[in-house]
Amino acid sequence: MFFLDVLSRFAHVGTAITMVGGTMFLLFVLLPSSKELDDQPRQSLSTAVLGRWKRFVHVGILLLLASGIYNYMRAIPGHKGDGLYHGMVGTKMILAFVIFFIASVLVGRSPKFERMRSNRAKWLKVVVVLACVIVAISAFLKVRGLTG
């Protein structure tokens, strides 16, 4: 079980680092840099980048869900009756689902969400802020330890 616990924690944290880092790269490096390009090269770059990033988003969501559920199930016995822990983890989960939705929309093709995609920088900022809140909650819960 120890090996699986370590593997799951590594998968969860490593995937989160990759997803948040990639989002920050898109927001703070790629989008501003691509504004210096003409329309056609910018559109070609965007299509190429999003085609690759889409795979990271979809696999990342799957890994975060699988490892997050496993990690939570392993943590439950140590937090019986700990309402603050469960409330904060629940908040993390809700925020993660919001991030998953926004990230999926931004790499998707549905015409329903074209308005969101046309304001990509705004939604990437939302994702970064929500991810920072999740990291802060996680840090607090890790330092707080078991109190159940």
Side-chain angles (χ1 to χ4, degrees):
M1 228 20 131
F2 179 77
F3 176 75
L4 192 54
D5 291 349
V6 171
L7 181 64
S8 178
R9 179 74 56 183
F10 177 79
H12 198 76
V13 173
T15 301
I17 289 168
T18 301
M19 301 301 294
V20 175
T23 301
M24 292 180 100
F25 173 80
L26 289 172
L27 177 61
F28 296 116
V29 177
L30 187 65
L31 286 180
S33 298
S34 69
K35 286 182 181 177
E36 297 176 16
L37 299 174
D38 292 329
D39 284 343
Q40 180 54 40
R42 180 177 45 244
Q43 192 61 28
S44 295
L45 178 63
S46 177
T47 300
V49 168
L50 291 177
R52 287 180 180 265
W53 182 240
K54 177 187 288 195
R55 289 178 244 157
F56 281 88
V57 169
H58 293 157
V59 172
I61 290 170
L62 177 66
L63 285 172
L64 287 169
L65 284 171
S67 60
I69 290 168
Y70 176 83
N71 292 339
Y72 182 63
M73 297 305 290
R74 294 287 292 152
I76 286 175
H79 293 281
K80 284 192 192 278
D82 186 354
L84 179 61
Y85 174 83
H86 293 292
M88 293 188 87
V89 169
T91 300
K92 276 180 53 175
M93 289 178 188
I94 291 168
L95 295 176
F97 286 127
V98 172
I99 289 173
F100 296 163
F101 172 77
I102 295 169
S104 296
V105 163
L106 293 179
V107 298
R109 295 180 297 199
S110 173
K112 290 181 185 179
F113 299 109
E114 190 55 43
R115 268 185 53 188
M116 283 180 75
R117 281 189 297 279
S118 69
N119 201 351
R120 188 174 309 278
K122 170 188 170 183
W123 292 105
L124 289 172
K125 287 175 191 169
V126 170
V127 168
V128 168
V129 168
L130 294 177
C132 288
V133 171
I134 290 172
V135 169
I137 292 170
S138 300
F140 171 77
L141 292 175
K142 190 69 173 171
V143 171
R144 176 179 179 260
L146 301 174
T147 62

